[in-house]
C-alpha cells in the first residue's frame, strides 16, 4: 500500500485562481517512509499572496516571486510518483492523504491540469484519506473540550507534543503523518514501536 501524504501552502483559497507556493510530501510503502521532501513554487499566475496566506505562512510576495518555476517542481514530483505508482495499474494506485485533504487534493489536481496532465486520478484512489476526519471520529468523546480542530490543536491532543513551524508544508505533513500513525495504532491496537 502506497500513501502519499501531501500538504500545500497556497497563494489564496481558490484552487482555480490561486497557486501552490509550497508542497510538502511523504511517501510510505506498507507503512514505511520511503521518500519525503518539499518544493517551493513561484505563483503560477504571478499573483500576489492573499493577506490570509501571508499571515499564516509568514511569506512575502518578494520571497515567493524568487521561488523556482511551477513546472520544475511539477516534473520532479511526477518523477517521484512514477517511482512508486505504476500509472494505469488501478490496483496499485496511491492513497492521497492529508489533513483536510480535500483542500490539498483540489489544489494538486489543478496543478496537474495547469501542467497539461489530466491523469491525477490515475495516480490516486478515490476517496482520499482525510486525517482530520479520522481524528474527528477518534476524538468524539473529547471534541467538546477542544477550542478548535486545527492541525496544531489536534496534533497536541493526539501526540501530547507541540507543533513548531506550523504552516510550513513539510512540518505540517510530518505532523499529519504522526497523527495518522497514532490513530491507526489506536484503531488497530498496534503496539508502539
Amino acid at each position: 500500500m502506497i500513501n502519499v501524504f501531501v500538504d500545500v501552502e497556497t497563494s489564496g483559497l481558490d484552487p482555480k485562481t490561486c497557486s501552490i507556493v509550497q508542497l510538502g510530501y511523504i511517501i510510505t510503502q506498507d507503512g514505511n517512509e520511503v521518500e519525503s521532501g518539499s518544493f517551493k513554487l513561484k505563483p503560477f499566475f504571478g499573483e500576489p499572496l492573499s493577506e490570509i496566506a501571508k499571515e499564516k505562512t509568514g511569506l512575502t510576495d518578494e520571497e515567493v516571486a524568487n521561488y523556482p518555476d511551477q513546472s520544475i517542481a511539477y516534473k520532479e514530483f511526477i518523477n517521484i510518483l512514477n517511482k512508486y505508482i505504476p500509472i494505469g495499474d488501478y490496483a496499485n494506485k496511491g492513497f492521497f492523504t492529508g489533513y483536510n485533504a480535500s483542500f490539498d487534493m483540489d489544489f494538486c489536481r489543478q496543478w496537474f491540469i495547469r501542467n497539461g496532465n489530466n491523469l491525477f486520478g490515475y495516480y490516486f484512489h478515490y476517496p482520499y484519506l482525510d486525517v482530520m476526519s479520522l481524528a474527528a471520529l477518534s476524538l468524539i468523546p473529547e471534541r467538546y473540550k477542544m477550542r478548535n480542530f486545527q492541525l496544531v490543536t489536534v496534533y497536541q491532543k493526539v501526540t501530547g507534543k507541540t507543533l513548531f513551524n506550523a504552516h510550513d508544508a513539510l512540518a505540517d505533513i510530518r505532523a499529519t503523518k504522526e497523527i495518522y500513525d497514532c490513530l491507526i495504532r489506536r484503531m488497530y491496537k498496534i503496539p508502539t514501536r
Side-chain angles (χ1 to χ4, degrees):
M1 180 174 109
I2 301 287
N3 280 73
V4 182
F5 291 85
V6 176
D7 183 82
V8 297
E9 299 300 330
T10 62
S11 63
L13 299 176
D14 185 347
K16 294 201 185 276
T17 60
C18 299
S19 303
I20 296 171
V21 295
Q22 188 183 27
L23 182 145
Y25 68 92
I26 300 171
I27 299 175
T28 64
Q29 193 164 24
D30 298 325
N32 299 307
E33 185 174 324
V34 292
E35 190 152 346
S36 65
S38 69
F39 297 104
K40 293 180 176 181
L41 306 91
K42 182 187 305 186
F44 204 85
F45 304 111
E47 75 273 8
L49 297 172
S50 69
E51 289 308 312
I52 292 171
K54 287 178 185 176
E55 183 182 311
K56 285 190 173 199
T57 65
L59 296 171
T60 65
D61 291 324
E62 294 75 28
E63 280 178 276
V64 298
N66 291 311
Y67 284 173
D69 229 39
Q70 292 271 333
S71 62
I72 295 168
Y74 168 78
K75 287 173 189 167
E76 286 183 45
F77 190 63
I78 287 295
N79 287 335
I80 291 164
L81 290 179
N82 287 336
K83 288 194 298 189
Y84 303 101
I85 302 170
I87 195 154
D89 181 353
Y90 297 104
N92 290 304
K93 290 182 180 185
F95 287 92
F96 190 98
T97 310
Y99 193 87
N100 191 17
S102 64
F103 179 87
D104 303 281
M105 194 179 87
D106 288 347
F107 268 93
C108 286
R109 186 182 300 277
Q110 284 299 316
W111 188 47
F112 274 49
I113 291 168
R114 287 185 189 133
N115 281 283
N117 183 340
N118 290 316
L119 303 178
F120 183 86
Y122 284 73
Y123 286 97
F124 301 106
H125 291 291
Y126 192 85
Y128 47 81
L129 300 180
D130 186 6
V131 176
M132 185 172 73
S133 294
L134 183 63
L137 184 62
S138 175
L139 295 171
I140 287 172
E142 302 167 75
R143 175 62 179 104
Y144 73 96
K145 298 177 193 172
M146 299 170 67
R147 72 181 193 287
N148 61 46
F149 218 70
Q150 295 173 3
L151 177 63
V152 172
T153 306
V154 173
Y155 179 77
Q156 185 163 26
K157 184 70 172 171
V158 172
T159 69
K161 298 187 284 187
T162 301
L163 174 59
F164 298 101
N165 241 3
H167 299 295
D168 170 83
L170 189 56
D172 285 357
I173 205 57
R174 287 216 173 277
T176 298
K177 182 183 177 300
E178 199 170 341
I179 293 167
Y180 174 85
D181 290 344
C182 286
L183 294 175
I184 293 297
R185 280 194 302 272
R186 284 184 197 171
M187 284 172 55
Y188 293 104
K189 297 181 176 38
I190 300 168
T192 306
R193 298 180 206 180

